[in-house]
Amino acid sequence: MQKLKLRWGIESNFQLTIIFIVFAITGSSSAILAELLMNAIGLTKQSMNLWLYWPLRIILIFPAYQVLLVMFGFLFGQFAFFWAFEKKMLRSMKLGFLLPKEKAHH
């Protein structure tokens, strides 16, 4: 745990616990949200080929996860950590163009 705290710049076990809780809630919530969205537009396991259903659901989970991660991070008082985490993750996936432009400091 110490290596993870050092890598993420976290000082307390409490903050680390909150961060793990946010990751858990976000993962579960994004999967549920993707299923609800697919059901709302009539795309169910029964109505379509499973080889199309699962990739489509995973594609829906991705943006839901990104938004929910920052939102739950904010609600749990960890916005700065999760915003920095989100920016790093998107840049590493070559999706940095989705982020707002950084303002130059003079």
Side-chain angles (χ1 to χ4, degrees):
M1 290 295 192
Q2 195 60 33
K3 283 184 181 181
L4 192 55
K5 284 170 41 179
L6 195 60
R7 180 176 165 192
W8 284 350
I10 297 168
E11 296 179 13
S12 72
N13 287 335
F14 178 74
Q15 185 181 10
L16 189 61
T17 301
I18 296 298
I19 288 168
F20 285 153
I21 289 169
V22 169
F23 277 125
I25 292 171
T26 301
S28 301
S29 299
S30 60
I32 292 167
L33 183 60
E35 182 177 21
L36 291 173
L37 288 171
M38 289 188 68
N39 287 341
I41 57 175
L43 301 176
T44 65
K45 289 181 218 173
Q46 295 77 24
S47 71
M48 63 187 303
N49 184 312
L50 292 179
W51 288 98
L52 292 174
Y53 175 83
W54 286 109
L56 187 58
R57 184 160 170 201
I58 291 168
I59 290 168
L60 280 174
I61 287 173
F62 178 75
Y65 184 87
Q66 309 313 308
V67 172
L68 291 174
L69 187 63
V70 175
M71 186 183 81
F72 286 127
F74 173 78
L75 292 175
F76 280 82
Q78 297 298 317
F79 177 80
F81 173 83
F82 283 103
W83 182 237
F85 186 89
E86 184 67 30
K87 290 190 292 187
K88 185 177 179 182
M89 181 171 49
L90 288 173
R91 285 187 185 113
S92 72
M93 295 177 358
K94 306 294 185 223
L95 296 173
F97 63 90
L98 296 172
L99 297 169
K101 298 285 185 209
E102 297 287 327
K103 293 180 182 174
H105 296 283
H106 297 291

